[in-house]
Protein backbone atom coordinates (compact mmCIF):
# COMPACT_ATOMS: atom_id res chain seq x y z
CA UNK A 1 0.00 0.00 0.00
CA UNK A 2 1.22 3.50 -0.81
CA UNK A 3 1.70 5.98 1.99
CA UNK A 4 -1.44 8.02 1.31
CA UNK A 5 -4.71 7.81 3.16
CA UNK A 6 -7.84 9.93 2.88
CA UNK A 7 -10.54 10.23 5.51
CA UNK A 8 -13.98 11.75 5.10
CA UNK A 9 -17.53 11.55 6.31
CA UNK A 10 -20.86 11.56 4.53
CA UNK A 11 -24.50 11.67 5.55
CA UNK A 12 -26.62 8.52 5.51
CA UNK A 13 -30.23 9.36 4.75
CA UNK A 14 -32.30 6.34 5.68
CA UNK A 15 -34.65 5.54 8.51
CA UNK A 16 -32.06 6.88 10.94
CA UNK A 17 -30.00 9.90 9.97
CA UNK A 18 -26.38 9.03 10.74
CA UNK A 19 -22.91 9.63 9.34
CA UNK A 20 -20.51 7.26 7.62
CA UNK A 21 -16.82 7.88 8.41
CA UNK A 22 -14.31 6.10 6.21
CA UNK A 23 -10.61 5.81 5.39
CA UNK A 24 -9.32 4.90 1.94
CA UNK A 25 -5.76 4.16 0.81
CA UNK A 26 -4.09 3.43 -2.53
CA UNK A 27 -2.89 -0.10 -3.31
CA UNK A 28 0.13 -1.10 -5.39
CA UNK A 29 -1.90 -0.96 -8.62
CA UNK A 30 -3.04 2.62 -7.99
CA UNK A 31 -6.57 1.53 -7.08
CA UNK A 32 -8.64 2.70 -4.11
CA UNK A 33 -8.35 0.42 -1.10
CA UNK A 34 -10.99 0.76 1.65
CA UNK A 35 -9.16 0.63 4.97
CA UNK A 36 -11.88 1.24 7.57
CA UNK A 37 -15.37 2.57 8.02
CA UNK A 38 -17.86 3.18 10.79
CA UNK A 39 -21.30 4.64 11.30
CA UNK A 40 -21.62 7.36 13.94
CA UNK A 41 -24.30 9.76 15.13
CA UNK A 42 -22.62 12.81 13.60
CA UNK A 43 -19.35 14.13 12.21
CA UNK A 44 -17.84 15.77 15.30
CA UNK A 45 -14.67 15.84 17.38
CA UNK A 46 -15.67 12.88 19.54
CA UNK A 47 -16.54 10.66 16.56
CA UNK A 48 -13.36 11.55 14.68
CA UNK A 49 -11.23 10.94 17.78
CA UNK A 50 -12.77 7.48 18.24
CA UNK A 51 -12.37 6.61 14.54
CA UNK A 52 -8.79 7.81 14.09
CA UNK A 53 -7.66 6.25 17.39
CA UNK A 54 -8.99 2.85 16.30
CA UNK A 55 -7.58 3.32 12.79
CA UNK A 56 -4.14 4.02 14.24
CA UNK A 57 -4.35 0.85 16.38
CA UNK A 58 -5.58 -1.29 13.47
CA UNK A 59 -3.06 0.05 10.95
CA UNK A 60 0.16 0.95 12.80
CA UNK A 61 1.76 2.01 9.49
CA UNK A 62 -0.71 4.90 9.33
CA UNK A 63 1.54 6.95 11.62
CA UNK A 64 3.95 7.57 8.75
CA UNK A 65 1.37 8.36 6.07
CA UNK A 66 0.14 11.49 4.35
CA UNK A 67 -3.44 12.11 5.48
CA UNK A 68 -5.73 13.90 3.03
CA UNK A 69 -9.01 15.32 4.33
CA UNK A 70 -11.38 18.26 4.14
CA UNK A 71 -10.11 19.28 7.62
CA UNK A 72 -13.62 20.23 8.69
CA UNK A 73 -15.95 19.62 11.66
CA UNK A 74 -13.33 18.98 14.30
CA UNK A 75 -11.13 16.82 12.11
CA UNK A 76 -8.16 19.21 11.95
CA UNK A 77 -7.70 19.27 15.75
CA UNK A 78 -8.23 15.51 16.03
CA UNK A 79 -5.59 14.75 13.37
CA UNK A 80 -2.95 16.41 15.54
CA UNK A 81 -4.31 15.03 18.83
CA UNK A 82 -4.26 11.41 17.64
CA UNK A 83 -1.23 11.39 15.33
CA UNK A 84 0.80 14.35 16.60
CA UNK A 85 3.61 15.22 14.19
CA UNK A 86 3.96 11.65 12.90
CA UNK A 87 1.85 12.28 9.76
CA UNK A 88 1.72 14.86 7.01
CA UNK A 89 -1.68 16.46 6.45
CA UNK A 90 -3.06 17.87 3.20
CA UNK A 91 -6.42 19.38 2.30
CA UNK A 92 -8.48 17.79 -0.47
CA UNK A 93 -8.29 19.91 -3.66
CA UNK A 94 -12.04 19.68 -4.30
CA UNK A 95 -12.80 21.00 -0.81
CA UNK A 96 -10.13 23.68 -1.15
CA UNK A 97 -11.67 24.92 -4.42
CA UNK A 98 -15.11 25.01 -2.76
CA UNK A 99 -13.83 27.01 0.21
CA UNK A 100 -12.04 29.52 -2.01
CA UNK A 101 -15.18 29.95 -4.12
CA UNK A 102 -17.23 30.48 -0.92
CA UNK A 103 -15.09 33.44 0.10
CA UNK A 104 -15.35 34.97 -3.36
CA UNK A 105 -12.10 33.95 -5.04
CA UNK A 106 -12.67 32.93 -8.63
CA UNK A 107 -10.37 30.24 -9.94
CA UNK A 108 -10.02 30.32 -13.71
CA UNK A 109 -8.59 27.43 -15.69
CA UNK A 110 -8.38 25.18 -12.66
CA UNK A 111 -9.99 21.79 -12.70
CA UNK A 112 -9.91 19.21 -9.92
CA UNK A 113 -12.10 16.69 -11.74
Amino acid sequence: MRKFMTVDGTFLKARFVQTLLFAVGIDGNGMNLPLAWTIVESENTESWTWFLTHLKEAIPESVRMTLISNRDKGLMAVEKAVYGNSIYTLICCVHLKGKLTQIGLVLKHVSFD
Side-chain angles (χ1 to χ4, degrees):
M1 184 172 70
R2 295 189 183 164
K3 299 291 185 175
F4 286 95
M5 176 173 58
T6 185
V7 293
D8 204 355
T10 187
F11 296 104
L12 297 176
K13 298 177 184 177
R15 183 173 179 198
F16 302 103
V17 178
Q18 295 179 316
T19 301
L20 172 69
L21 302 181
F22 57 90
V24 177
I26 303 171
D27 69 11
N29 294 323
M31 304 297 290
N32 291 337
L33 176 67
L35 301 173
W37 61 271
T38 189
I39 297 173
V40 295
E41 290 183 16
S42 66
E43 193 174 353
N44 57 41
T45 304
E46 183 181 339
S47 297
W48 278 117
T49 301
W50 183 89
F51 182 68
L52 290 180
T53 300
H54 285 83
L55 182 65
K56 183 179 175 182
E57 290 174 11
I59 306 174
E61 297 84 13
S62 66
V63 297
R64 292 179 296 279
M65 288 189 173
T66 299
L67 182 65
I68 302 167
S69 70
N70 63 356
R71 307 191 80 193
D72 198 17
K73 298 184 179 158
L75 184 53
M76 190 163 62
V78 173
E79 290 170 353
K80 290 296 178 192
V82 173
Y83 285 100
N85 291 326
S86 64
I87 61 168
Y88 296 102
T89 56
L90 299 173
I91 188 167
C92 170
C93 292
V94 172
H95 289 95
L96 179 61
K97 180 182 176 185
K99 289 187 183 297
L100 292 175
T101 303
Q102 266 182 349
I103 62 171
L105 292 175
V106 178
L107 301 176
K108 294 181 181 180
H109 309 293
V110 177
S111 174
F112 297 114
D113 300 326

